[in-house]
Amino acid sequence: MDFSTGLTRDPSEIIRLFADVFFASEGPEEGAAIGAFARELLNSTPPEDILVCTAQHDHELLGCAIFSRMTFSQDTRNVFILSPMAVQTGRQKTGIGQALISYGLDRLRAAGVDVALTYGDPAYYCKTGFVQITEDTAQPPLKLSHPHGWLGQALDGFDLKPLKGPSRCVSALNNPLLW
């Protein structure tokens, strides 16, 4: 398996992966919504504010994790959030997702990012170093529909110290339906 950063030869391949995976797991509306979110994220986010990580085997896209910048008004730390993340439906539960997330976190560390956040299933994301946090630790940009899924980690190996001030995310993620 090969991991890389940046877009694949055909960015629509990434959009299709997200749409197909979320369609299979959550239904047609969610598949369409996450596919549209991925398209907007890839098309509207400045290059310095996004990190696209892919897992491929023999030129077949197996998974993708997209990290994008978040800012906190009173904090100078460099913060990125993982969203969305997907592994081909037939390849799930094989370790690809966790390896892909670890690869992305390593790239973020190498780029000087201080904190990684995500919003999802704690049982899954805690396997790659994320811990459940509260809104006191990191204020989300929008209201969380599932506060137990708010997760974070300091990328320096120490405990995550609270991020100061209100947060902002990239425009594609600034959608209440995603939170």
Side-chain angles (χ1 to χ4, degrees):
M1 183 169 17
D2 299 312
F3 295 102
S4 63
T5 58
L7 295 176
T8 59
R9 293 181 308 264
D10 180 5
S12 67
E13 183 180 24
I14 291 173
I15 296 163
R16 239 183 346 270
L17 171 75
F18 284 111
D20 291 350
V21 168
F22 282 86
F23 177 94
S25 67
E26 307 292 329
E29 285 182 25
E30 190 74 3
I34 300 302
F37 165 50
R39 178 181 300 105
E40 183 181 352
L41 189 60
L42 294 174
N43 290 335
S44 70
T45 307
E48 65 274 12
D49 292 338
I50 192 168
L51 175 68
V52 178
C53 299
T54 58
Q56 298 184 36
H57 181 68
D58 291 336
H59 303 290
E60 177 187 9
L61 180 64
L62 303 179
C64 183
I66 302 177
F67 297 85
S68 59
R69 187 177 308 280
M70 284 188 65
T71 57
F72 288 78
S73 66
Q74 300 165 20
D75 207 299
T76 59
R77 285 176 282 178
N78 197 359
V79 180
F80 272 68
I81 185 167
L82 168 59
S83 180
M85 159 74 201
V87 172
Q88 271 187 19
T89 302
R91 300 293 194 113
Q92 293 174 3
K93 301 187 190 284
T94 63
I96 294 169
Q98 289 175 24
L100 183 57
I101 293 169
S102 294
Y103 173 81
L105 294 171
D106 287 345
R107 299 292 76 72
L108 291 174
R109 274 186 204 91
V113 174
D114 303 298
V115 176
L117 302 172
T118 195
Y119 183 47
D121 179 6
Y124 181 76
Y125 291 103
C126 287
K127 294 175 184 177
T128 55
F130 287 96
V131 296
Q132 287 180 289
I133 60 174
T134 66
E135 294 182 28
D136 291 335
T137 303
Q139 185 179 339
L142 296 167
K143 182 172 174 41
L144 299 174
S145 58
H146 302 287
H148 68 278
W150 192 223
L151 308 164
Q153 66 175 290
L155 297 180
D156 62 5
F158 294 101
D159 289 340
L160 176 58
K161 298 198 178 8
L163 292 154
K164 299 175 189 139
S167 66
R168 291 188 57 200
C169 57
V170 297
S171 64
L173 192 53
N174 195 29
N175 177 345
L177 298 176
L178 298 171
W179 296 88

